[in-house]
C-alpha cells in the first residue's frame, strides 16, 4: 500500500487558461507543452487503515489543514473510489524548485501523486488513464504524465486512435476524452528553458481562481479560447520541423493572448512585475539582434526563456544582466512521470 513517483513540471507553449467544467476540471481548450527535466517533484503515498484522516507533508512541512490538504484529499477520494478502498493516506511530497511562484508545481505535483497513489492503491493505470486522472487534480498535470513535447485535448474534439476528431456528447464522456498525448519525445529537439525568478513570494491569484474570474468577467475570453486550436496546430508543426522562429512566434502570441484575457477581467489580473516587463523587452531586443530566444509567462511574475542548446550561455548572460532577476533555474526536455525508490 506504499509507492513513490517522480514527475517533472512542464511549461505550456500554447497556454491552458479557462475551464469548460469545474467539477470535472475540463479545459476550455487544448494546450501544448514541454516537460522540463532538471526540476522534479517526488511524492510518496502510503495508505494506512490506522489513519483517521489524510496526512500531507509538503517540502518537509506538515500541512494540517487548508486548501492544499483539501485538494489532495479530494484527489485521493477519486483514487479510493476507483480502487474500492477506504483507507486514508500519508502523502509526503518534495519539490526541488520553489513552490507556488508560477512554476507549475501543481503539474508535477498531481502527476507524481496520480502515479504514486494509484500504485499504492493496487491499481495499474495506462499513461492515458493516468493523464485523465491527473487532470482532475490540476489541468496542467495531465501533460506532465508524458515526456518531451505534449499536446492536451480539450475533451470536446479528442483525437481517436486513427487521428480523426470525434465530438463528445456528455461531460462524463468529455472527461474521459480530455487527456494529453506525446507528440515528440524529449530527444527530438534539445531546447533549453531558463527560468528567471523575479519574485520569491506565492502568487496572489491562483490559476484556478484566475481562470474562473477571466471566464466570468473578461470580454476577451471567447476570442482567447477561439485562438487556441489554430495556435496548437502552428506550434505542433513548428515542433515537428524544429522551426525555432515559428515556435517563438506562436508561443509568445499564445502567452500574451492568455495574459490579455486575464488583464481584461474585473478586477483585472496582472501577474507581471516591473522585472517581468523588462525581460519581455530584453528578450525581444536580443532576438532582433540575432539571438534565437523567446519568452513565456504563466500565472506568476517569473519569465521562462527558451533557446536552442548552443544559445544557452548567451541567454543566461542576458537574464543575469537584467536588474531584478533573483535566480535563474535551468531545464531541458524531460521524461514523463515514473515510479522511483521510496525516499522515506
Ligand atoms: C498559466 O493547471 O494550475 O500555467 O487546472 O485549475 O489546476 P488548474 O490550473 P493549472 O493552470 C495552468 C495555467 C498556466 C498555463 C498552462 O500551464 O497551460
Amino acid at each position: 500500500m506504499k509507492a513513490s513517483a517522480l514527475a517533472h513540471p512542464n511549461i505550456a507553449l500554447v497556454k491552458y487558461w479557462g475551464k469548460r467544467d469545474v467539477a470535472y476540471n475540463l479545459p476550455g481548450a487544448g494546450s501544448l507543452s514541454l516537460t522540463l527535466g532538471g526540476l522534479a517533484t517526488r511524492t510518496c503515498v502510503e495508505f494506512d487503515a490506522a489513519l483517521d484522516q489524510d496526512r500531507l507533508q509538503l517540502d518537509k512541512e506538515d500541512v494540517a489543514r487548508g486548501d492544499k490538504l483539501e485538494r489532495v484529499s479530494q484527489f485521493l477520494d477519486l483514487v479510493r473510489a476507483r480502487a474500492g478502498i477506504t483507507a486514508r493516506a500519508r502523502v509526503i511530497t518534495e519539490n526541488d524548485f520553489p513552490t507556488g511562484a508560477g512554476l507549475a508545481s501543481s503539474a508535477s505535483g498531481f502527476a507524481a501523486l496520480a502515479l504514486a497513489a494509484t500504485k499504492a492503491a493496487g491499481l495499474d493505470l495506462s499513461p492515458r488513464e493516468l493523464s485523465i486522472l491527473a487532470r482532475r487534480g490540476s489541468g496542467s498535470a495531465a501533460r506532465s504524465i508524458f515526456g518531451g513535447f505534449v499536446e492536451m485535448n480539450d475533451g470536446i474534439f479528442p483525437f481517436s486512435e486513427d487521428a480523426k476528431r470525434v465530438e463528445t456528447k456528455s461531460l462524463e464522456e468529455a472527461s474521459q476524452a480530455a487527456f494529453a498525448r506525446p507528440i515528440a519525445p524529449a530527444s527530438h529537439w534539445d531546447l533549453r528553458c531558463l527560468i528567471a525568478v523575479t519574485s520569491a513570494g506565492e502568487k496572489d491569484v491562483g490559476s484556478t481562481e484566475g481562470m474562473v474570474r477571466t471566464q466570468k468577467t473578461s470580454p476577451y475570453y471567447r476570442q482567447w479560447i477561439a485562438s487556441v486550436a489554430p495556435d496548437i496546430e502552428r506550434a505542433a508543426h513548428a515542433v515537428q520541423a524544429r522551426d525555432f522562429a515559428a515556435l517563438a512566434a506562436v508561443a509568445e502570441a499564445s502567452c500574451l493572448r492568455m495574459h490579455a484575457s486575464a488583464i481584461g477581467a474585473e478586477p483585472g489580473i496582472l501577474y507581471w512585475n516591473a522585472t517581468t516587463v523588462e525581460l519581455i523587452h530584453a528578450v525581444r531586443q536580443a532576438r532582433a539582434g540575432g539571438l534565437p530566444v523567446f519568452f513565456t509567462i504563466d500565472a506568476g511574475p517569473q519569465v521562462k526563456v527558451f533557446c536552442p542548446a548552443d544559445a544557452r550561455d548567451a541567454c543566461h548572460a542576458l537574464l543575469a544582466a537584467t536588474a531584478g532577476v533573483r535566480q535563474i533555474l535551468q531545464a531541458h526536455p524531460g521524461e514523463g512521470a515514473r515510479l522511483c525508490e521510496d525516499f522515506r
Side-chain angles (χ1 to χ4, degrees), residues 128 159-164:
R128 178 171 294 181
F159 292 91
S160 66
E161 294 304 335
D162 58 4
K164 284 195 189 111

Side-chain angles (χ1 to χ4, degrees), residues 8-15 31-37 39 103-104 107 140 143-144 146-152 181 183-195 239 244 247 294 296 298 304-307 331-336:
H8 299 296
N10 68 77
I11 300 290
L13 297 165
V14 177
K15 302 295 182 192
S31 53
L32 189 147
S33 62
L34 177 63
T35 300
L36 297 182
L39 309 168
L103 288 182
S140 52
R143 301 185 308 234
S144 274
F146 300 101
F149 296 84
V150 176
E151 184 182 332
M152 175 77 199
R181 66 189 176 111
I183 58 164
S187 59
H188 171 70
W189 195 4
D190 193 9
L191 289 182
R192 297 305 163 95
C193 179
L194 303 181
I195 298 157
V239 166
F244 189 85
L247 188 61
F294 68 83
T296 188
D298 293 313
K304 288 96 179 193
V305 165
F306 283 82
C307 62
H332 49 82
E335 301 302 326

Side-chain angles (χ1 to χ4, degrees), residues 102-274:
L103 288 182
S105 59
S106 69
S108 49
F110 279 100
L113 183 63
L115 180 55
T118 52
K119 278 285 169 192
L123 295 168
D124 193 18
L125 301 192
S126 68
R128 178 171 294 181
E129 289 173 310
L130 279 172
S131 178
I132 293 166
L133 176 65
R135 191 203 76 234
R136 301 290 296 271
S138 183
S140 52
R143 301 185 308 234
S144 274
I145 295 297
F146 300 101
F149 296 84
V150 176
E151 184 182 332
M152 175 77 199
N153 286 323
D154 57 14
I156 304 169
F157 288 110
F159 292 91
S160 66
E161 294 304 335
D162 58 4
K164 284 195 189 111
R165 280 157 68 88
V166 188
E167 190 170 2
T168 52
K169 303 283 184 286
S170 67
L171 283 177
E172 176 63 39
E173 222 185 346
S175 180
Q176 287 309 309
F179 48 77
R181 66 189 176 111
I183 58 164
S187 59
H188 171 70
W189 195 4
D190 193 9
L191 289 182
R192 297 305 163 95
C193 179
L194 303 181
I195 298 157
V197 178
T198 65
S199 153
E202 296 241 341
K203 57 196 170 197
D204 307 336
V205 184
S207 35
T208 306
E209 186 191 338
M211 284 183 206
V212 171
R213 193 193 302 169
T214 302
Q215 204 160 341
K216 279 194 181 143
T217 64
S218 175
Y220 311 136
Y221 181 72
R222 274 171 166 279
Q223 288 95 323
W224 150 248
I225 289 296
S227 76
V228 177
D231 282 353
I232 291 179
E233 211 166 304
R234 277 170 71 191
H237 279 126
V239 166
Q240 295 307 346
R242 297 189 196 89
D243 182 341
F244 189 85
L247 188 61
V250 67
E252 286 191 2
S254 176
C255 164
L256 293 174
R257 285 179 188 132
M258 173 207 128
H259 284 275
S261 75
I263 288 168
E266 205 175 318
I269 305 161
L270 180 59
Y271 286 112
W272 306 345
N273 59 31

